[in-house]
């Protein structure tokens, strides 16, 4: 969560709760509603690393609140993040390990492993399909994220089919 | 109630004297109102299977029962009658009538099944509307994109309110938005009690089904009922993991 928080702070200084709200507003249902404690922990670490600083702002009738802002180092970290190409997800090699190794030990046969994995992917796909149906069509960020997950899952299933063709005799 | 049942169904093609077993002993039952997806690698016999179920290909051995009657022994003309009344078929490569408009392609099966012209027109307007094709109603099939033709083929297959819908890759050429329209319509007619057997590579389509049957080398290797899960995730965040 470090870099998204830096990005939000690059827009304007904010306190922890405002950052939580900004994340929710930007990503809608596409983002796991961030835990406020997690946000404060991350802000603390960013401050320790010199990427943000904070000032105490007095509030009437309430405890002071800490407003965070980006430092020059923070801005540089953010720019580096934006400039770098992003690693894509890799093949899920844990399943592949099972698929290749388990039959050698006689624990399971490959067809059974592939069938179980296919069922699992399909039930994830069903969750995504239902979620897309329940998501407000105006929430384009959430829908794009769901579509991305759907496409990855489809690729996993296609790959499973290739494993079936080549490894199950 | 069972709508469809096969017993040890086999199809062996002859390829220049060499036997090609495309379907090798399939036992398969579909209950009324069920939505079944058939998946499997290319060449695993999916199209061959559904073609036999729709009477478009002849079995080598085994039995096919439709609605309590044995049908694999029927003549071609008896099959034609059956298809007109009871079966809707979407081909992998659409097969629209080229010298008729889209509207006529869709209305024809409804008329053949005995609907009045008015009922047939209303049904056509509903189906084309659901598939986002209202504006293409008076075009000729050749003027449509592959994806549009495929959706017309689905509308045509549903026009006579068939007891059984057989579809071979109904979203094979569609982008994600058109796929969504097709899925929505399939979900809708399924909700109205339509029995559906669909061959698909598309996991989105399969995820809509009650059951997913997997073929490999002409045989069923998995038959999974997709029970609705009690757990329903709250937001995409519960399903989708963002990094960073
Ligand atoms: N008319 C035919 N004559 C000879 N062989 C055929 C014929 N039709 C299909 N086959 C063979 O039968 C096997 C099954 O073909 P089928 O079309 O049913 O596969 P499929 O699962 O639908 O594949 P795809 O996913 O590519 O559509 C293949 O090996 C194919 O080459
Ligand atoms: Mg096929």
């Amino acid at each position: 969560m470090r870099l998204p928080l830096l990005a939000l702070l690059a827009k304007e200084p904010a306190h922890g709760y405002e950052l939580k709200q900004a994340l929710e507003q930007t990503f809608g249902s596409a983002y796991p509603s961030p835990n406020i404690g997690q946000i404060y922990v991350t802000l603390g670490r960013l401050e320790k690393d010199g990427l943000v600083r904070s000032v105490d702002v007095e509030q009437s009738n309430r405890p002071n609140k800490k407003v965070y802002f980006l430092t020059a180092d923070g801005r540089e970290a953010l720019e580096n993040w934006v400039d770098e190409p992003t690693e894509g997800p890799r093949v899920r090699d844990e399943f592949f390990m099972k698929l290749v190794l388990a039959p050698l030990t006689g624990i399971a046969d490959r067809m059974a492993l592939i069938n179980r994995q296919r069922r699992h992917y399909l039930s994830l796909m069903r969750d995504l399909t239902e979620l897309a149906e329940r998501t407000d069509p105006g929430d384009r960020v959430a829908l794009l994220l769901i579509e991305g997950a759907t496409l990855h899952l489809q690729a996993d299933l296609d790959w499973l089919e290739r494993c079936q063709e080549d490894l199950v005799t | 109630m069972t709508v469809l049942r096969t017993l040890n169904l086999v199809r062996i093609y002859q390829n220049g004297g060499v036997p090609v077993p495309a379907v090798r002993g399939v036992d398969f039952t579909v209950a009324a109102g069920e939505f079944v997806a058939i998946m499997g690698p290319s060449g695993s016999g999916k199209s061959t299977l559904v073609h036999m179920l729709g009477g478009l290909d002849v079995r080598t051995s085994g039995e096919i029962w439709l609605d309590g009657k044995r049908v694999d022994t029927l003549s071609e003309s008896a099959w034609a009658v059956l298809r007109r009344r009871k079966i809707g078929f979407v081909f992998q490569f659409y097969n629209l009538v080229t010298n008729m408009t889209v509207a006529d392609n869709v209305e024809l099966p409804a008329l053949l099944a005995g609907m009045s012209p008015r009922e047939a027109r209303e049904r056509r307007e509903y189906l084309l509307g659901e598939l986002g094709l209202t504006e293409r109603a008076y075009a000729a099939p050749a003027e449509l994109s592959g994806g549009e033709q495929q959706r017309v083929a689905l509308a045509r297959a549903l026009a006579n309110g068939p007891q059984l819908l057989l579809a071979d890759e109904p979203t094979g050429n569609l982008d994600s938005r058109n796929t969504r329209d097709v899925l929505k319509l399939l979900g809708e007619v399924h909700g109205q009690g339509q029995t559906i057997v669909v061959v698909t590579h598309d996991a989105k389509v399969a995820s809509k089904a009650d059951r997913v049957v997997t073929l490999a080398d002409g045989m069923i290797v998995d038959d999974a009922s997709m029970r609705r899960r009690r757990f329903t995730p709250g937001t995409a965040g519960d399903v989708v993991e963002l990094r960073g």
Side-chain angles (χ1 to χ4, degrees):
Chain A
M1 206 189 313
R2 288 166 68 92
L3 278 311
L5 290 184
L6 290 184
L8 290 172
L9 290 174
K11 206 173 123 222
E12 58 192 342
H15 56 87
Y17 189 69
E18 284 170 338
L19 290 169
K20 174 179 159 68
Q21 283 180 317
L23 280 173
E24 283 168 355
Q25 266 171 24
T26 310
F27 291 103
S29 72
Y31 197 78
S33 191
N35 170 315
I36 187 72
Q38 180 75 40
I39 288 179
Y40 281 120
V41 169
T42 309
L43 286 170
R45 291 197 184 128
L46 288 170
E47 187 161 26
K48 199 166 131 265
D49 294 342
L51 303 181
V52 305
R53 295 232 311 267
S54 63
V55 286
D56 279 330
V57 176
E58 280 185 34
Q59 299 193 103
S60 49
N61 306 327
R62 289 213 235 145
N64 289 355
K65 67 177 177 184
K66 259 188 169 177
V67 171
Y68 291 84
F69 59 93
L70 204 60
T71 63
D73 282 354
R75 174 164 292 277
E76 200 185 317
L78 180 63
E79 279 166 5
N80 288 340
W81 180 57
V82 171
D83 284 346
E84 276 168 9
T86 309
E87 275 310 323
R90 314 259 163 109
V91 169
R92 279 169 216 231
D93 50 358
E94 190 182 343
F95 171 72
F96 196 63
M97 288 290 154
K98 281 189 201 173
L99 186 64
V100 173
L101 298 177
L104 304 182
T105 65
I107 295 174
D109 74 273
R110 287 191 174 135
M111 199 64 232
L113 285 171
I114 288 175
N115 283 343
R116 194 173 318 130
Q117 195 67 12
R118 185 188 314 102
R119 290 176 182 205
H120 175 63
Y121 287 159
L122 287 170
S123 81
L124 288 178
M125 189 61 101
R126 158 161 280 180
D127 289 347
L128 287 173
T129 310
E130 285 177 0
L131 182 63
E133 283 162 5
R134 275 188 284 116
T135 300
D136 174 5
D139 195 349
R140 281 195 276 166
V141 173
L143 285 172
L144 280 172
L145 189 59
I146 296 168
E147 183 162 351
T150 303
L151 290 168
H152 282 296
L153 210 46
Q154 178 73 56
D156 288 333
L157 275 156
D158 291 347
W159 183 61
L160 209 55
E161 204 162 79
R162 291 286 303 115
C163 293
Q164 179 182 322
E165 285 176 302
D166 279 18
L167 295 180
V168 184
T169 47
Chain B
M1 203 189 80
T2 301
V3 167
L4 181 72
R5 184 182 183 81
T6 73
L7 286 170
N8 202 14
L9 195 61
V10 171
R11 177 63 165 118
I12 301 171
Y13 292 110
Q14 293 297 331
N15 211 341
V18 183
V20 181
V23 170
R24 306 191 293 160
V26 164
D27 292 306
F28 176 55
T29 303
V30 180
E34 215 177 2
F35 181 165
V36 182
I38 299 177
M39 301 187 87
S42 186
S44 57
K46 305 179 299 293
S47 293
T48 304
L49 177 62
V50 289
H51 280 127
M52 288 192 287
L53 300 180
L56 300 161
D57 193 358
V58 193
R59 54 125 182 73
T60 304
S61 65
E63 299 175 14
I64 306 172
W65 293 72
L66 190 69
D67 202 18
K69 293 192 194 62
R70 185 154 177 196
V71 294
D72 56 274
T73 47
L74 293 182
S75 67
E76 221 165 282
S77 58
W79 263 113
V81 173
L82 202 62
R83 272 199 300 277
R84 206 176 287 162
R85 303 250 165 83
K86 295 196 168 168
I87 301 173
F89 202 101
V90 182
F91 293 86
Q92 191 164 4
F93 305 102
Y94 356 111
N95 282 23
L96 297 175
V97 182
T98 50
N99 57 0
M100 279 176 14
T101 64
V102 163
D104 290 341
N105 262 284
V106 178
E107 285 182 34
L108 183 65
L111 294 169
L112 287 175
M115 282 191 199
S116 74
R118 181 156 160 248
E119 286 169 326
R121 198 189 63 231
E122 282 169 6
R123 179 94 181 139
R124 178 261 294 176
E125 284 168 354
Y126 162 71
L127 291 167
L128 290 183
E130 289 299 306
L131 293 167
L133 288 167
T134 303
E135 264 130 59
R136 311 297 280 140
Y138 300 104
E143 295 164 351
L144 305 185
S145 71
E148 286 170 332
Q149 290 185 51
Q150 199 157 31
R151 281 177 290 150
V152 174
L154 176 61
R156 178 184 61 177
L158 286 167
N160 62 347
Q163 194 170 22
L164 174 64
L165 175 70
L166 298 170
D168 196 354
E169 298 283 1
T171 61
N173 293 296
L174 304 183
D175 65 14
S176 62
R177 180 174 313 161
N178 292 329
T179 295
R180 203 170 60 216
D181 289 343
V182 165
L183 282 181
K184 195 167 139 262
L185 182 60
L186 287 179
E188 221 167 273
V189 294
H190 177 46
Q192 294 158 12
Q194 178 71 55
T195 310
I196 303 173
V197 174
V198 55
V199 169
T200 189
H201 275 109
D202 187 336
K204 284 200 293 300
V205 178
S207 77
K208 280 271 186 184
D210 305 316
R211 236 171 97 200
V212 178
V213 170
T214 305
L215 287 187
D217 268 336
M219 293 191 286
I220 293 180
V221 293
D222 195 26
D223 187 341
S225 82
M226 305 275 297
R227 257 165 274 121
R228 307 232 151 236
R229 297 211 277 181
R230 273 163 300 141
F231 142 78
T232 41
T235 66
D238 298 328
V239 183
V240 179
E241 198 183 329
L242 274 188
R243 289 172 208 285

